[in-house]
């Protein structure tokens, strides 16, 4: 620990991203990337943006991107915020809307406690039920607001829209914000976006990393009431008014505008997910119902660390979390059919030889 760090830096426990190997070739099923390439229109837009105008600052209002989101989702442009990936937007949201105790699931996106610690916000992890679902009534208690993914990560389980809106209604009466992290929404969950005018305390946060195959471009957006968007802008402009560069803005707008392409590839991901889940259940795995682009699985007779290690030896990366309740589970990103066939083959070998 450096003698030059301040107390804040010393007390932080930073988020640990999924492994990005450089030493060998792996089938990468550990970071929830889309197995299919971005839309050709995105590549074309990025190439066109890579000209001599790079010497100029990008549009701080991210107008082209926000207009595309506004049109696609049927909201006002002033109800759209653009950011450098959903992670940045979530960090801004913690800084803008929370001060006292906030709620989020005990098994969820592990960046949430990091943001809370960074902003020095007390938090209360809310236990998932035994079946790993979120119990809506657990969030209808006095708090400073809440955040959770829908579908949740790493479980992949989606909360019914009615339950989400019931939480929003309760919190709106308390004048508190509910952040719904919809990173995986395109793979099977219902979005809260059509309801933001009724529930002005809902902020829906989206990323283009998963559903739009743009994890390498770092773009995301949030949709909510004008009041919430203005709060995000106040935090952003206290850090950096130019969070998205010209290439990212052009590529993101093109991705939003090419929904037909992405609807098709994400249907393929969903189809592969369901086929894989059925086969895994057939060979004895416990597979949670998923509305995301990954599966959360365990095998009753083998601990998660052993399966993770044996898959890695065979050149297949999955994600293993060491938290007590889920230490025997693995989160498996859905790859191509070929990727998943290789994964299933190795799973059969591991379980049959045990």
């Amino acid at each position: 620990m450096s003698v030059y760090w301040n107390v804040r830096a010393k007390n932080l426990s930073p988020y640990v991203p999924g492994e990005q190997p450089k030493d060998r070739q792996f089938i990468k099923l550990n970071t929830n990337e889309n197995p299919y390439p971005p839309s050709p229109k995105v590549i074309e837009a990025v190439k066109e943006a890579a000209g001599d105008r790079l010497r100029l600052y990008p549009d701080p209002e991210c107008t082209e991107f926000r207009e595309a989101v506004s049109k696609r989702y049927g909201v006002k442009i002033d109800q759209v915020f653009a950011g450098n990936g959903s992670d940045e937007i979530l960090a801004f949201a913690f800084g803008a809307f929370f001060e006292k105790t906030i709620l989020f699931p005990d098994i969820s996106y592990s960046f949430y406690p990091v943001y809370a610690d960074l902003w020095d916000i007390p938090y209360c992890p809310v236990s998932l039920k035994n079946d790993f679902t979120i119990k809506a009534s657990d969030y209808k208690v006095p708090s400073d607001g809440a955040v959770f993914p829908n579908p949740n990560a790493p479980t992949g389980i989606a909360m019914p829209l009615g339950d989400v809106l019931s939480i929003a209604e309760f919190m709106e009466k308390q004048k508190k914000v509910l952040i719904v992290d919809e990173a995986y929404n395109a793979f099977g969950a219902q979005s809260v976006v059509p309801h933001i005018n009724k529930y002005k305390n809902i902020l829906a946060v989206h990323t283009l990393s998963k559903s739009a195959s743009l994890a390498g471009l770092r773009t995301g957006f949030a949709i909510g009431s004008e009041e919430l968007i203005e709060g995000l802008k106040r935090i952003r402009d206290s850090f950096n008014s130019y969070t998205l560069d010209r290439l990212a803005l052009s590529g993101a707008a093109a991705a939003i505008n090419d929904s037909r392409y992405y609807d098709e590839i994400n249907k393929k991901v969903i189809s592969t997910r369901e086929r894989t889940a059925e086969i895994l259940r057939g060979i004895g795995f416990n597979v949670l119902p998923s509305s995301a682009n990954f599966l959360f699985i365990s095998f009753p007779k083998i601990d998660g660390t052993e399966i993770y290690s044996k898959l890695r030896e065979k050149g297949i990366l999955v994600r293993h979390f060491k938290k007590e309740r889920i230490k025997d589970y693995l989160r498996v990103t859905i790859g191509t059919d070929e990727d998943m066939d290789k994964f299933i083959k190795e799973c059969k070998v591991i379980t049959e030889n045990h």
Side-chain angles (χ1 to χ4, degrees), residues 65-75 80 221 223 256:
F65 179 25
R66 290 170 57 234
E67 284 180 342
V69 173
S70 169
K71 182 178 179 180
R72 177 172 171 183
Y73 290 89
V75 298
V80 180
F221 60 92
I223 298 177
I256 293 295

Side-chain angles (χ1 to χ4, degrees), residues 201-215:
N201 64 326
I202 290 180
L203 185 74
V205 180
H206 285 237
T207 176
L208 299 189
S209 296
K210 325 299 183 184
S211 61
S213 305
L214 290 176

Side-chain angles (χ1 to χ4, degrees), residues 1-7 9-10:
M1 187 174 292
S2 174
V3 296
Y4 300 109
W5 297 354
N6 63 17
V7 173
K10 290 177 181 177

Side-chain angles (χ1 to χ4, degrees), residues 166-182:
S166 73
I167 297 171
E169 183 174 9
F170 176 88
M171 290 191 169
E172 189 172 40
K173 293 176 182 177
Q174 317 299 316
K175 304 300 181 186
K176 302 303 180 183
V177 173
L178 172 62
I179 300 174
V180 185
D181 184 349
E182 298 191 332

Side-chain angles (χ1 to χ4, degrees), residues 37-64:
S39 162
K41 294 180 181 178
V42 171
I43 305 302
E44 180 181 348
V46 171
K47 288 180 178 178
E48 289 181 1
D52 59 8
R53 288 179 63 80
L54 287 178
R55 64 187 177 82
L56 302 175
Y57 283 109
D59 173 16
E61 295 299 321
C62 307
T63 306
E64 180 186 10

Side-chain angles (χ1 to χ4, degrees), residues 278-331:
E278 182 178 1
I279 295 172
L280 289 173
R281 291 188 182 107
I283 60 177
F285 277 85
N286 175 33
V287 183
L288 299 190
S290 176
S291 296
N293 68 334
F294 56 83
L295 294 171
F296 204 48
I297 68 172
S298 67
F299 193 80
K301 299 178 181 179
I302 311 177
D303 66 57
T305 301
E306 182 178 346
I307 300 177
Y308 166 82
S309 298
K310 288 185 175 181
L311 286 171
R312 197 181 193 286
E313 289 172 3
K314 295 297 183 180
I316 299 173
L317 284 182
V318 297
R319 193 79 189 266
H320 179 237
F321 300 92
K322 297 180 180 179
K323 293 186 70 172
E324 183 60 30
R325 288 184 68 189
I326 58 173
K327 63 182 180 179
D328 287 331
Y329 280 80
L330 301 173
R331 192 194 68 192

Side-chain angles (χ1 to χ4, degrees), residues 1 5 7-18 87 109-118 123 319:
M1 187 174 292
W5 297 354
V7 173
R8 182 185 298 274
K10 290 177 181 177
N11 290 338
L12 290 176
S13 297
Y15 173 77
V16 179
D87 286 341
Y109 189 26
S110 53
F111 229 140
Y112 298 155
V114 176
Y115 298 137
D117 289 340
L118 178 64
Y123 58 90
R319 193 79 189 266

